Amino acid sequence: MQPPPHPSEVEPPCRRRDRDMDFTIRAATLEDCKDISRMIAELAEYEKVSDQVKITQRDLEQDGFSKNPFFHGIIAEVPEHHRSKDGHTKVGYSLYFYTYSSWKGRAVYMEDLYVMPEFRGKGIGKALMSKVAQLGLAAGCHQLNFAVLDWNKASLEFYLSQGCWDVTADMGYHCMRCEGDALEHLAQGDP
Amino acid sequence: MNFTIRPAARTDCKDISRMIRELAVYENMQDQVKISHEELERDGFCDSPFYQSLVAEVPEDRGRAVVGYAIFYYTYRTWTGPTVYLEDLYVRPEFRGKGIGKAMMNTVAKVAKQRQCSCLHLSVLDWNQPSIDFYIAKGGRNLTATEGWQFIRFEGDAFENLVQGAPKN
């Protein structure tokens, strides 16, 4: 089987017309990092954790567009005449990467999915998520995984309506994190 | 106990596959294992591997025996950058309590630090108290319990339906 394709290798930009809004889904490029950084900040504000964003536009450029990228990205773009009230045409994004299940094999993890508030309800979020699934399938993946905060009822309902299931609620898996001093001690082999 | 932790080789995949099944039995999910050592070899030892792996070895009468493994891969948090995800950590029951699991976890953390990762993530079943206690003792935080994160999955028909909904050329 081939290595995972880069998004730009899978298909050219494609247009959709949904509920009177033209939009394009395409692979993210280095030049998109400024808008991705802007939208990451907007998403963090929505999740009430703006003070936790430490990544800059430059970090995104290095981490996503080097020889061994940590992530891939896709962008939702609208034509100029539909630009946002602040003048933006890049109105949504998704960042994803490939993971592995020791039981099921190749999988794709969707780290972020975001559409600017004034562009919601037009199928853009669904189109972005479907594109991630399509790219994952092309890479030989059989699962699309991601995380949602339990208070984010609107997002949970959206995802469940698309046929996914809540692994935490149904199987009891809890997400654990080790960071900061704890990660330092672990790396040093402290007892 | 004398043991060695080293990067797994392609030839270790049969042993790793056997231990993956042992871990699934422990988690009461043995019917969920769908891949064999062949997929492990293909996906872990290609030009762009999907995962990294370690094995733990102990001496035995006619050489060395593999008695534990870890599978991990690099992920990304858009707020803090590169991270590492520990997919599996397993030591055969008769070799537990000797520091092998801890040594493998230390090694994963060390490798992660070298790649500028800011944190290590993993999942654990809520009834698996020995494992929860092990990770909490190492400074891990339970994000599901403390912050309300739920892990969501699309697979099977739901995954296919999602793919079908993608914008066409």
Side-chain angles (χ1 to χ4, degrees):
Chain A
M1 190 173 280
Q2 298 296 316
H6 187 276
S8 63
E9 294 170 337
V10 176
E11 29 65 52
C14 34
R15 287 203 172 277
R16 279 278 292 272
R17 175 179 286 274
D18 247 53
R19 297 168 226 187
D20 299 319
M21 169 70 68
D22 260 339
F23 61 89
T24 305
I25 306 288
R26 61 166 176 79
T29 64
L30 193 76
E31 290 69 35
D32 291 320
C33 288
K34 185 176 176 189
D35 281 279
I36 295 174
S37 186
R38 167 182 60 83
M39 289 189 277
I40 285 171
E42 291 173 14
L43 178 54
E45 193 175 331
Y46 173 70
E47 290 187 349
K48 307 173 188 174
V49 285
S50 295
D51 58 327
Q52 293 191 28
V53 180
K54 314 294 181 203
I55 285 291
T56 64
Q57 173 186 333
R58 185 164 172 76
D59 293 322
L60 290 174
E61 290 167 0
Q62 285 175 348
D63 296 337
F65 297 90
S66 57
K67 185 169 173 280
N68 294 306
F70 281 94
F71 65 85
H72 304 290
I74 52 176
I75 296 280
E77 207 164 17
V78 297
E80 267 296 327
H81 60 273
H82 280 307
R83 64 185 179 277
S84 73
K85 57 183 187 302
D86 293 331
H88 300 298
T89 56
K90 296 171 197 178
V91 302
Y93 78 96
S94 180
L95 291 196
Y96 65 96
F97 41 79
Y98 297 104
T99 62
Y100 205 73
S101 159
S102 51
W103 295 350
K104 305 279 176 67
R106 299 179 181 192
V108 61
Y109 189 90
M110 186 173 67
E111 171 66 17
D112 279 359
L113 175 68
Y114 176 75
V115 177
M116 291 172 67
E118 65 194 272
F119 293 93
R120 291 180 194 162
K122 302 180 193 309
I124 296 177
K126 188 165 180 311
L128 282 166
M129 193 163 67
S130 287
K131 182 54 67 179
V132 173
Q134 186 188 63
L135 291 165
L137 188 68
C141 300
H142 303 289
Q143 288 176 351
L144 169 71
N145 296 312
F146 53 97
V148 172
L149 285 159
D150 60 3
W151 58 256
N152 193 345
K153 301 293 183 210
S155 293
L156 268 169
E157 280 171 18
F158 169 70
Y159 295 130
L160 292 171
S161 77
Q162 302 301 307
C164 67
W165 58 289
D166 186 331
V167 178
T168 299
D170 293 359
M171 291 179 75
Y173 274 107
H174 283 212
C175 303
M176 309 280 295
R177 176 181 296 157
C178 198
E179 62 186 339
D181 286 347
L183 186 64
E184 281 293 338
H185 294 148
L186 211 54
Q188 285 165 27
D190 293 355
Chain B
M1 166 170 281
N2 187 8
F3 63 86
T4 309
I5 308 294
R6 61 165 174 81
R10 182 186 284 266
T11 48
D12 292 315
C13 288
K14 278 190 180 157
D15 279 324
I16 294 174
S17 183
R18 186 165 51 241
M19 288 186 284
I20 284 171
R21 287 179 193 279
E22 291 173 13
L23 178 53
V25 167
Y26 173 73
E27 293 185 338
N28 297 325
M29 295 192 213
Q30 52 269 41
D31 59 327
Q32 298 285 320
V33 181
K34 307 296 183 196
I35 64 169
S36 70
H37 69 91
E38 285 154 347
E39 281 90 348
L40 289 175
E41 287 171 18
R42 179 195 66 198
D43 297 335
F45 298 90
C46 51
D47 286 341
S48 297
F50 280 81
Y51 68 89
Q52 313 290 320
S53 49
L54 305 171
V55 291
E57 273 184 330
V58 297
E60 64 167 3
D61 290 341
R62 283 171 293 177
R64 301 187 68 80
V66 171
V67 301
Y69 78 97
I71 286 178
F72 62 99
Y73 42 81
Y74 298 104
T75 56
Y76 200 76
R77 285 176 73 203
T78 42
W79 302 342
T80 57
T83 55
V84 70
Y85 188 88
L86 181 59
E87 170 70 16
D88 279 359
L89 179 68
Y90 177 77
V91 178
R92 288 206 146 127
E94 60 268 39
F95 294 94
R96 291 178 194 162
K98 303 180 194 313
I100 296 178
K102 181 183 169 305
M104 282 197 287
M105 199 161 165
N106 290 141
T107 306
V108 172
K110 197 169 169 183
V111 168
K113 286 289 290 183
Q114 285 165 355
R115 263 209 97 182
Q116 315 298 319
C117 295
S118 62
C119 64
L120 180 148
H121 287 130
L122 52 97
S123 297
V124 62
L125 285 158
D126 57 6
W127 56 256
N128 191 348
Q129 205 56 49
S131 292
I132 293 174
D133 291 345
F134 174 79
Y135 296 126
I136 297 287
K138 299 282 171 295
R141 280 197 301 129
N142 187 334
L143 299 180
T144 298
T146 60
E147 295 183 14
W149 285 100
Q150 308 287 108
F151 188 57
I152 308 290
R153 173 174 298 155
F154 276 91
E155 62 184 345
D157 287 346
F159 185 62
E160 280 298 329
N161 291 340
L162 203 57
V163 172
Q164 294 305 320
K168 305 277 189 302
N169 288 351

